[in-house]
Amino acid sequence: MPKKEQVSALQIAFMVMLFEIGSTPLFLLGSKAKQDSWLAMCAGSLAGLVLLLLLLWIQHRSTGLDLIGMLQRYFGHTAGSGIGWIYCLYFAYQSMRNVRDLGELTSLTLLQTTPMPVTMLIFILIALYAIWKGAAVLFRLPEVLLPLVLFFYGVLVLLLGIMGNIDFIRLAPVFEGGIRPILNAALPDIVSFPFGQMLVFLMLWSLWEKPGVPVKNTLIAYITISLFLIFMNALNAAVLGPTVAGISQLPFLKTVRTLSNLQFVERLDILVTIQLFIGLLIKMMLFYFCAVKGVSGLTGKSVKRWVFPVGIVIYGASFLERDYTQHISVGLGPSLKLDPLFQVAVPLLLALLILLRSRSRKPSA
């Protein structure tokens, strides 16, 4: 029997933080709430926290199992395997979206004349190599990359503050339209992206080197990064104004370009792009890994056997959308509407089945 791969609680915490960052600072999420978009982020993160507590409880009651194992145990082998295959497709689809994001971002900012299929293939090959080396290698990456990402975000925020570009008066008046626009902007869209995507850790918590669930580390990481994302959302609106930020394709890049009058440094948008590359690459790798791990669990074959086939599917599917406009409209539209089915509905049903099974096992009086 091959030795089970294990990761530390710190590695899981760092992975949670870098995974949640992803491409989130790039957009003004909750823009429908205008200057209250940061409040919509608050509401979305709180709803996501409730969902995370549910996921942690499910994992606690299913120690040693990943999502595929849980589905097979509580739904029955046949139905559970069917749902498991759907989840594998879901993870592969989410990975595909990040591959396309990486390709479009590269073409837009760094390598305008390089064919996008080439850059996307390079990203897939990097992810393929990391996953081939195993979970231990994959989870070491955030230990190196997360401090770097947070440092450079800190530098950019400091420069924006020094240059006087941040005007939080633009976030007033607060609650201008009441609570309803805030909740409409937060639910389900912001819960689905990025907070509901914590679902993937049902595939990963079982890798923890100790028995049980790393609850403390996961919650600290989630709360910390939620505060960071709320601040970055408010920052985009405070620099550009909620109207301009709401209609901009890439608000954070536009925010950083307001520093163009600095005399000692130029092209800071390249720095932003590199940070986003790191976040998107980790997110793409993790979804890719979960798809491979899921297929491996369903077929009983090793993870390495499925790395190449799943990678080919992800790479091919990344060309289905004809342009970046369609890619964004699908990602922030129909895709977000389907996410609650995978992120909320199935976990709730899974939790209900766990409760019913535990009660049926209690001896009758």
Side-chain angles (χ1 to χ4, degrees):
M1 290 292 291
K3 184 179 178 181
K4 179 184 175 182
E5 293 185 294
Q6 296 180 331
V7 298
S8 69
L10 182 64
Q11 288 174 326
I12 290 175
F14 277 28
M15 183 64 85
V16 167
M17 296 176 75
L18 198 50
F19 176 81
E20 284 293 289
I21 289 175
S23 62
T24 307
L26 192 64
F27 306 104
L28 185 72
L29 300 183
S31 59
K32 291 184 289 186
K34 299 179 182 177
Q35 71 271 13
D36 287 333
S37 60
W38 68 279
L39 290 173
M41 282 290 286
C42 289
S45 66
L46 288 173
L49 179 60
V50 174
L51 178 60
L52 176 59
L53 292 173
L54 174 67
L55 298 177
L56 286 166
W57 181 84
I58 291 172
Q59 185 66 67
H60 174 71
R61 297 297 297 268
S62 310
T63 302
L65 294 177
D66 62 13
L67 177 60
I68 301 301
M70 297 174 200
L71 291 171
Q72 290 178 330
R73 171 180 287 186
Y74 297 109
F75 283 87
H77 188 270
T78 302
S81 297
I83 299 171
W85 279 109
I86 295 173
Y87 265 103
C88 290
L89 290 173
Y90 174 73
F91 293 141
Y93 168 75
Q94 294 296 335
S95 181
M96 174 277 289
R97 296 203 59 79
N98 286 285
V99 171
R100 185 61 181 263
D101 283 336
L102 285 164
E104 294 284 359
L105 193 60
T106 305
S107 179
L108 185 67
T109 58
L110 291 180
L111 305 173
Q112 289 91 344
T113 59
T114 303
M116 197 168 66
V118 174
T119 58
M120 290 163 62
L121 179 61
I122 291 171
F123 288 124
I124 280 284
L125 291 175
I126 292 171
L128 186 151
Y129 178 74
I131 295 168
W132 180 270
K133 298 299 288 185
V137 171
L138 185 63
F139 274 80
R140 285 192 199 110
L141 291 175
E143 292 183 291
V144 178
L145 298 176
L146 179 64
L148 190 66
V149 168
L150 293 179
F151 171 75
F152 285 125
Y153 272 118
V155 169
L156 291 172
V157 172
L158 181 63
L159 289 174
L160 287 166
I162 291 172
M163 295 300 294
N165 294 8
I166 304 174
D167 184 7
F168 285 108
I169 298 299
R170 292 187 173 121
L171 302 182
V174 179
F175 287 108
E176 182 182 24
I179 191 70
R180 179 170 292 180
I182 294 172
L183 294 179
N184 288 340
L187 306 173
D189 292 359
I190 295 179
V191 177
S192 298
F193 172 79
F195 301 111
Q197 292 181 333
M198 285 294 296
L199 168 82
V200 299
F201 284 87
L202 282 180
M203 294 291 296
L204 305 169
W205 280 319
S206 58
L207 297 172
W208 190 32
E209 61 191 4
K210 297 181 181 179
V213 189
V215 176
K216 180 180 177 181
N217 297 77
T218 301
L219 288 177
I220 290 174
Y222 178 88
I223 293 170
T224 302
I225 213 62
S226 294
L227 293 174
F228 169 77
L229 294 176
I230 291 166
F231 173 77
M232 293 303 297
N233 194 278
L235 181 72
N236 282 328
V239 173
L240 301 177
T243 302
V244 174
I247 63 175
S248 298
Q249 195 175 43
L250 302 172
F252 188 57
L253 277 176
K254 195 176 186 70
T255 293
V256 173
R257 283 170 180 164
T258 63
L259 295 170
S260 58
N261 55 345
L262 287 174
Q263 300 299 315
F264 64 94
V265 66
E266 295 181 355
R267 296 303 305 272
L268 283 170
D269 55 329
I270 300 298
L271 182 60
V272 178
T273 304
I274 293 172
Q275 292 169 243
L276 292 170
F277 280 159
I278 293 172
L280 283 169
L281 187 62
I282 289 294
K283 205 161 193 173
M284 182 267 283
M285 284 182 179
L286 212 57
F287 278 121
Y288 183 178
F289 176 73
C290 289
V292 171
K293 190 171 184 289
V295 174
S296 173
L298 288 165
T299 60
K301 306 295 183 181
S302 69
V303 168
K304 289 187 176 182
R305 182 163 185 163
W306 292 105
V307 173
F308 281 92
V310 173
I312 291 169
V313 171
I314 291 172
Y315 180 69
S318 63
F319 296 99
L320 291 177
E321 293 155 334
R322 64 177 181 271
D323 54 36
Y324 190 55
T325 301
Q326 186 184 46
H327 174 69
I328 292 297
S329 64
V330 170
L332 296 180
S335 182
L336 283 183
K337 306 305 179 187
L338 288 175
D339 281 340
L341 178 64
F342 295 94
Q343 298 171 358
V344 181
V346 174
L348 280 174
L349 185 55
L350 188 58
L352 179 62
L353 291 173
I354 292 172
L355 280 175
L356 291 174
R357 174 170 289 197
S358 65
R359 288 186 178 183
S360 67
R361 286 182 175 177
K362 288 182 180 180
S364 56

